[in-house]
Amino acid sequence: MPSSVPTFAELLDGATQSAVHLEMRDVYGVGSEADDFARWQETGERDTDPASAYWQPWADLVRRTVARGVTVRRARIISEPVSAYIRYEHAGTVVNLGAGEDVRWLPRRQASDLALPGNDFWLIDGRVVRWNHFSGDGASCAGETSQEPSVAKLCADAFDAVWARAVPHHEYKII
């Protein structure tokens, strides 16, 4: 394991072909989202301005990644009925799409027979895995990377299997 884990900006800026992200939790408690999530819970309104302080760094990163010809895809495995957090994510996904990501949703019951890794991950160019670790309450913990070919293959196969079954964002209806 390297002494330092590259940032998401470093990983995506270094991508030459693809960046895929598999999310498998129903609740995240990432500190940088806390205020926006609380506001959404109180008002039902979600920040969907790609130029806002909340979204701009991510939207800019994805735009410049896609502008280089890199495909950016995100798949989310979710329980149904969905959690409040997944409703919040779904409401903001329009920004991901506008920046150039392709996003799909897979109900967890349709993933029961898939072999999946134990943690969320990013896979860059089919060879670099960036594991996303979270505490039990969803707080982001230190990440980890791997360039082991067998680990990259596990993640690529898992992502491809999820992607093949998942519903494109514009077709997925929240339950």
Side-chain angles (χ1 to χ4, degrees):
M1 184 170 78
S3 59
S4 67
V5 176
T7 65
F8 293 112
E10 290 168 334
L11 287 170
L12 269 65
D13 281 339
T16 60
Q17 298 175 339
S18 65
V20 301
H21 184 36
L22 182 60
E23 297 178 8
M24 298 182 284
R25 296 179 59 95
D26 288 317
V27 177
Y28 293 86
V30 179
S32 63
E33 296 178 332
D35 290 343
D36 192 57
F37 182 53
R39 186 172 28 262
W40 175 81
Q41 287 183 298
E42 291 172 13
T43 67
E45 295 176 12
R46 176 79 202 265
D47 175 4
T48 57
D49 178 2
S52 71
Y54 177 82
W55 280 109
Q56 185 171 14
W58 184 254
D60 287 351
L61 174 59
V62 172
R63 277 191 206 103
R64 74 176 178 255
T65 300
V66 171
R68 293 192 323 274
V70 176
T71 301
V72 180
R73 297 182 295 161
R74 179 186 303 255
R76 294 173 170 146
I77 299 174
I78 46 132
S79 299
E80 290 178 325
V82 300
S83 67
Y85 184 87
I86 294 301
R87 287 182 186 282
Y88 163 79
E89 270 195 332
H90 192 271
T93 299
V94 63
V95 180
N96 300 84
L97 297 170
E101 285 188 58
D102 193 359
V103 180
R104 293 187 181 182
W105 304 82
L106 181 64
R108 189 171 310 282
R109 69 186 62 202
Q110 294 176 24
S112 296
D113 62 343
L114 299 179
L116 301 168
N119 292 290
D120 290 11
F121 65 84
W122 278 92
L123 177 62
I124 307 300
D125 293 333
R127 60 178 187 74
V128 178
V129 177
R130 199 285 189 185
W131 298 110
N132 297 339
H133 297 299
F134 297 93
S135 67
D137 63 2
S140 184
C141 299
E144 183 179 355
T145 59
S146 173
Q147 294 189 40
E148 290 291 324
S150 62
V151 172
K153 182 176 179 352
L154 167 73
C155 291
D157 290 348
F159 185 87
D160 289 346
V162 169
W163 192 258
R165 292 184 184 182
V167 178
H169 177 76
H170 68 280
E171 295 176 20
Y172 181 72
K173 304 299 181 228
I174 289 286
I175 293 176

